[in-house]
Amino acid sequence: MVKKKACIFISGSGTNLRSIIKSSREYNFPINIRLIVSNNKNAKGIIFAKKFSIPYICLKTNRYNFEKIVLKKLIEKKIDLICLAGFMKILSKKFIRDFKGKIINIHPSLLPKYKGLNTFQRVLASKERLTGCTVHFVNEKLDGGKVIIKKKVFVSIKDNIKTLKKKVQFEEYRAYSHAIRKVFSLN
Ligand code: GAR
């Protein structure tokens, strides 16, 4: 199987990145990670790039320069798929257009509910009994692109932000790998 070339964008702890790296080491997983991009020099997730010897770049600059530098790298490395995994910067419309259909994102709610930030806080405040995560294609609208996969999580009355986040993120790890397989029509 010829694996597609992927780039993962992160900003923080990189636990989704870690999970995608694990999956990508399976022989029949459709992608190889060729590059990791962080917009945060202190992103904890960078340790996974180092640990698994995956090329990475950390760029703390304005959006224009960030995208210019990253675009050059993506073309150089012939990247087929960009996975946003806790990447907290909004990409420009131009960048999204240039990579139309090739950028996917994970969001910690059952979209279209709870787009944007502070998801767990808002889910708890609304006394939801059901939440989850969504992997979707990225378009020009925030958290608005076509859904690839959703996974549900039950909210207990005892949940707080920390416990809910843990439950949702556990499902995220399964959802992201499943979604990547689905993008390349493997299931
Ligand atoms: C994940 O829970 C992801 O859903 C969320 O950030 C977290 C990153 O965790 N993304 C968003 O909220 C995007 N709007 P990680 O860095 O440990 O993978």
Side-chain angles (χ1 to χ4, degrees):
M1 162 195 238
V2 182
K3 291 197 177 201
K4 300 286 184 185
K5 302 176 187 69
C7 174
I8 318 291
F9 283 26
I10 62 166
S11 299
S13 50
T15 59
N16 276 283
L17 164 67
R18 181 185 59 197
S19 149
I20 302 168
I21 293 175
K22 266 195 183 164
S23 296
S24 72
R25 292 158 76 87
E26 291 166 19
Y27 84 99
N28 60 353
F29 195 69
I31 60 157
N32 255 330
I33 302 170
R34 297 298 178 98
L35 182 67
I36 292 165
V37 171
S38 171
N39 66 325
N40 169 12
K41 287 206 160 50
N42 300 316
K44 271 170 64 189
I46 292 302
I47 59 168
F48 302 117
K50 293 180 181 159
K51 186 170 168 195
F52 293 96
S53 307
I54 301 170
Y56 68 93
I57 43 175
C58 288
L59 288 169
K60 184 93 191 92
T61 177
N62 60 54
R63 185 165 79 180
Y64 181 80
N65 286 331
F66 176 90
E67 292 186 353
K68 198 171 147 197
I69 297 165
V70 171
L71 190 63
K72 196 163 163 264
K73 280 273 177 197
L74 296 172
I75 292 169
E76 203 178 288
K77 292 189 175 279
K78 299 191 168 65
I79 296 296
D80 302 297
L81 181 74
I82 297 172
C83 302
L84 308 184
F87 183 67
M88 302 313 254
K89 198 179 173 95
I90 293 176
L91 295 164
S92 70
K93 291 193 164 106
K94 182 182 179 308
F95 188 93
I96 293 169
R97 269 200 308 271
D98 287 348
F99 276 85
K100 197 164 185 290
K102 293 181 177 177
I103 312 177
I104 64 177
N105 179 46
I106 189 149
H107 185 75
S109 75
L110 295 173
L111 290 173
K113 289 180 112 178
Y114 304 101
K115 296 178 178 181
L117 297 175
N118 305 318
T119 318
F120 306 117
Q121 202 175 313
R122 288 185 289 137
V123 165
L124 290 170
S126 305
K127 302 203 185 314
E128 294 282 1
R129 284 294 152 253
L130 192 65
T131 186
C133 60
T134 307
V135 183
H136 63 94
F137 284 103
V138 172
N139 67 9
E140 291 159 19
K141 293 188 182 127
L142 180 71
D143 300 325
K146 187 170 173 256
V147 170
I148 303 164
I149 202 165
K150 291 186 195 186
K151 295 236 186 252
K152 291 176 188 162
V153 169
F154 290 101
V155 187
S156 139
I157 45 168
K158 291 183 188 156
D159 270 324
N160 53 42
I161 294 179
K162 201 172 156 199
T163 58
L164 185 59
K165 182 175 173 183
K166 197 169 168 194
K167 290 200 289 196
V168 171
Q169 288 196 331
F170 180 79
E171 287 304 320
E172 286 189 347
Y173 308 146
R174 299 174 56 229
Y176 223 143
S177 293
H178 194 163
I180 293 170
R181 285 198 174 91
K182 214 172 158 192
V183 165
F184 296 105
S185 301
L186 291 183
N187 62 19

